Amino acid sequence: MTFKLSSSPHQHAQRSTSDLMRLVIFCTLPGLLVQTWLFGWGTLIHLVLAIVVAVVTEAAILELRKRNFEVAIKDSSAILTAVLLALSIPPLAPWWISVIGAFFAIAIVKQLYGGLGFNLFNPAMAAYVVLLISFPVQMTSWLPPESLTQYQANFADALSVIFTGFSNDGYSLQQLQLGIDGHTMATPLDQVKTNLTLGLTYNETLESPVFAGGLGVGWLWVNLAFLAGGIILLLQKAISWHIPVGMLGAIAIMALVFNGIDGDQYASPLFHLFSGGIMLGAFFIATDPVSAATTNQGRIVFGACVGFWIFIIRVFGGYPDAIAFAVIIMNMAVPLIDYYCRPRTYGHARSGK
Amino acid sequence: MKSIIDRIRQGRLWGFPGGIHPPARKSLSNQSSIEELPLPERLYISVKQHIGVAGRVCVEEGQSVLKGQALTRSANPFAVPVHAPTSGIIAGVINHPSAHPSALPEKAIELIPDGKGQWAELSPLPNYTAVAKSKLIETICAAGVAGMGGAGFPTHIKASPKKDIEFLIINGVECEPYITADDRLMREYAWHIRQGIDVLCHLLSPEYVVIAIEDNKPEAIEAMKVACNDVEQYVVSAIPTQYPAGGEKQLIQTLTGKEVPKNGLPSDVGIVMHNVGTCYAVADAVFNGKPLIQRVVTVTGESLQQPKNVWAAIGTPVSHLLSECGYDSAKQSQPNIIMGGPMMGFALADDSIPVVKITNCILAPSAEEIPANPVEQACIRCGACADACPVSLLPQQLYWYSKANDFEKANEYNLFDCIECGACAYVCPSDIPLVHYYRTTKADIRAEEEEKHLADKARQRFEARNERLIRDQHERDEKHRKAAEARKQSMQSDGGSAKDKIAAALARAKAKKQASADESANQSANVTTAPPAENSTTETASISPTAPAADDKKQKVAAAIARAKAKKLANAAAADKPSTDAGEDNAASPKPVATDAVTENADVTPDNNIAESTDTTSDDKKQRVAQAVARAKAKRAERQQADNNNADTDNEDAGETQKVETQELDKDAIKKQRVAAAIAKAKARKLAQQNQDNENNS
């Protein structure tokens, strides 16, 4: 009889990489549902599109690389990338936006670098940046929350807009974006940016219908939903607290300082924390283990720097939101951060490595 | 330190970073008391049981031994003997698969029990405080006690520290899942362990003794508290259940907040740690005189019908333990026996491998309990490994560098601080066998270092050899140089005498010539011969003390010169015959020349003899000048002779030759000597010719 030989440890924790990925996907559900509820079916349609394209691309490239794609597909990492991308895309963007994005994320950003674990950049965010730069109009055409729009779009309308550009009633995307008063509704972040350049103060801007109680209508709920999902991840120990806390802390501190200096020019910390995709970014995107820093100390630095860049680009840059840019910038700094942020090994002098 | 013990008493411990909480599964085996097992048919007692060196086998095949009789012996302090676990007959000293992951055959003593269990004579030391500590340590060593918790470090060495000990920590943590051997031992033999602690305490004189037990063993904690409550110095501490809290370094950190420095020992921070099983063995050795011949082994796992703790004789094959506990191989998809716990134990390649002193567990898990090796997936850099690492390493980075065989980087990331606890590999979601990578890389690095060491040695040898060769060469050269110098020196000192000889020969030749001249010449000739005669006597006198072997060449030259002169003289004598006036002239003319020569030479030396002795220091230039002068004079003399049309040059010539010889003395003037000799010869010939002509003319 042959004995089974294996190296210690013989026992293993039950959580596998695919479990981890699936857990993260499940934790995006609250945010996904709230976003769908508030902004229409478009997100779900893009989600399905992106997942299909991502999985097919992953399988095809693994086949080309002569790897066993069945095992790789099962780890659900491609699905997670697709989910994160779909959540970032405006709900009624044309179908090819998510197709191009998902393909780029998997083929170029992930597989060309060697597949899972080897990509330098966060695939979803790299794809998002490519889309934003290539198709700025489509990528910034966010609908206002349904409660504020003149025309309501049901599932069939959303499907029609995404694939044909017009709803079943013949409304274009631009018409769908119109508010009750007939004005095109921008996202809160856009609104703040535009109005500040128009010479309005921050507080005057808040009187716009896209705001309620000093925060963007709808976006507060989306962010709260992602925060809830993120807290589940933390409790499940799927992610460590270092990156979200570093990132949110940096944004809050910078917003507090600038708002304190000039409240007319700079938005409040609360507005910054609950606008755009901050919570999605803090708990689901910046925490992508592959492209983030790996040591706890490094994670705090990484998170804080991401927060710093988000604030800088939002306030001083040309784009209303900047999670993707900030994450990509800091992805490049990860090797450096990891090199300098090493824990002190047991029994070694404190100053030494 | 007082504050440390206060904190321990209050249960405010420090803890260590990382750690994991694997399912403990201890209730499988800790429900019943430790059982005695029937002996197996054969025992295989490994000669090398632990860290350190193996002893020398002191029994032979066919010999019958008593229970507790020492089977090996060694003078090495890092060796402890092994003993016969029961009485029986030695079947042989064989190579048997060893209790090591490699299962490589190692020397083992095969013993067939006779079933009598007859004890050898035991010599207990109940009054251990009354004997010298060295005697006590010797007793512990002779009983073969080695650390029973992990590596099996010889206990007597750890019991005789060189430094002051603040804390003696008794490790009853047993953090590894499944294992309950120490748990049961503490529950059932708490007093026995306490006695062992007393002995170690006597040897180490620590300020406090801390007995650390994980809080998932409340019965053991209670038992030890009861056993130790009468001594203020002994503190039983319940520590949080967390793997690997029982690691030596981790336990020290948990209890005291101190860290054992890198490459250091616990005694560097005033701590010594012993396992509870070791305390039991020490007590057995001291109070009963019994050597370490059995230990508690947890035989557990779901493929056993009766998992339990047993007293296993050292050398019992694992198969015997398994069959005694109802091993059901049908519950496993493939035979899978682990010696040690599921975290740090190793899979056995053979079930005939025997129990050794450090075997605390035999685990036979069912297929569901420990599934087949999971497939390794890509690292997603999640960092769960770093969070779990109890020594704050970066397992992920170590993994990359191990995989890339980048030994330098692996070292830089402190690979060798890894205690191989397996926490990282346990938590890895991608099921990467991290510890296996580290072990391989460590082995590779060690091999490389060994190789490098050997290469260094070889290089050193080579360089040393080269140096030696060069040195030898230098020495030889130096010797040769010295010899050459000495030769030169002696040549120079000899040279004087050689010249003396030459001079003497010349003198003799002249004397002969003179004599022949006298024969033919008149009275006036007597006047002429007088000075040379004087010369010759002085020169002969100077030769006599040192008459060594002169330079051949010089001799030959001198001889040639002498011959030439002799010929010339003979001719001159023949020429002199006709006129005695010439004799007058002869006597008159050489004088001023000779005086000249003397005055010329006076710069250097006033006299030929003196010149000879000091020529080594004389100036080249002056000599050359002198030579030139001499030549000029010779020429002038020639002219005179030609004018005189007479043989009156003879004496002068002789004087000149003498002068030339003076130059010969010069160490650098061999060439000149030859030239001079040639000139002399030429002159002699010319003179001879002239004389001939003269004769013919006359």
Side-chain angles (χ1 to χ4, degrees), chain B residues 620-632:
Chain B
D620 257 3
K621 214 170 175 183
K622 281 178 196 167
Q623 285 186 339
R624 256 179 254 147
V625 170
Q627 247 177 338
V629 169
R631 269 196 301 276

Side-chain angles (χ1 to χ4, degrees), chain B residues 259-337:
Chain B
E259 290 181 14
V260 181
K262 182 178 167 62
N263 298 329
L265 289 172
S267 61
D268 294 340
V269 287
I271 293 169
V272 165
M273 190 178 293
H274 284 285
N275 179 266
V276 287
T278 314
C279 296
Y280 178 90
V282 166
D284 228 12
V286 173
F287 296 100
N288 303 328
K290 288 183 186 173
L292 180 52
I293 53 168
Q294 61 172 13
R295 67 156 295 146
V296 184
V297 177
T298 304
V299 187
T300 185
E302 281 179 2
S303 63
L304 299 175
Q305 277 153 8
Q306 306 101 31
K308 58 192 167 193
N309 282 292
V310 298
W311 282 110
I314 304 297
T316 307
V318 168
S319 54
H320 178 73
L321 295 179
L322 290 173
S323 63
E324 289 294 324
C325 294
Y327 172 54
D328 179 6
S329 61
K331 287 190 176 174
Q332 295 183 328
S333 48
Q334 189 190 358
N336 180 17
I337 313 295

Side-chain angles (χ1 to χ4, degrees), chain A residues 1-18 20-21 71-72 74-75 115-119 238 240 242 288-296 299 334-335 338-339 341-348 350 353, chain B residues 23 177-178 249 253 258-262 334-338 342-351 370-373 378-383 387 391-394 396-397 400 409 412-414 417 422 425-426 429-430 435-436 439:
Chain A
M1 69 183 176
T2 15
F3 283 81
K4 178 191 155 195
L5 288 181
S6 59
S7 184
S8 70
H10 307 278
Q11 225 172 2
H12 291 278
Q14 294 308 304
R15 182 188 281 169
S16 68
T17 297
S18 38
L20 205 64
M21 296 288 175
V71 176
K74 275 187 199 147
D75 68 26
L116 180 65
F118 295 96
N119 47 299
S240 71
H242 303 82
D288 166 40
V290 176
S291 56
T294 57
T295 65
N296 286 338
R299 283 171 179 155
V334 160
D338 277 351
Y339 183 81
C341 298
R342 290 189 230 166
R344 183 187 62 86
T345 305
Y346 180 100
H348 286 246
R350 260 163 224 288
K353 279 173 191 168
Chain B
Y178 287 97
K249 290 173 168 184
Q253 197 174 15
K258 292 179 183 180
E259 290 181 14
V260 181
K262 182 178 167 62
Q334 189 190 358
N336 180 17
I337 313 295
I338 295 161
M343 297 302 296
M344 291 185 79
F346 55 92
L348 293 182
D350 190 326
D351 63 0
I370 294 185
N373 290 354
C379 170
I380 56 163
R381 295 169 38 97
C382 63
D387 293 339
V391 287
S392 304
L393 293 170
L394 292 174
Q396 192 193 120
Q397 273 79 349
W400 294 118
K409 273 285 189 186
E412 192 191 318
Y413 278 80
N414 305 322
D417 285 283
Y426 176 83
S430 293
V435 181
H436 187 68
R439 268 197 282 258

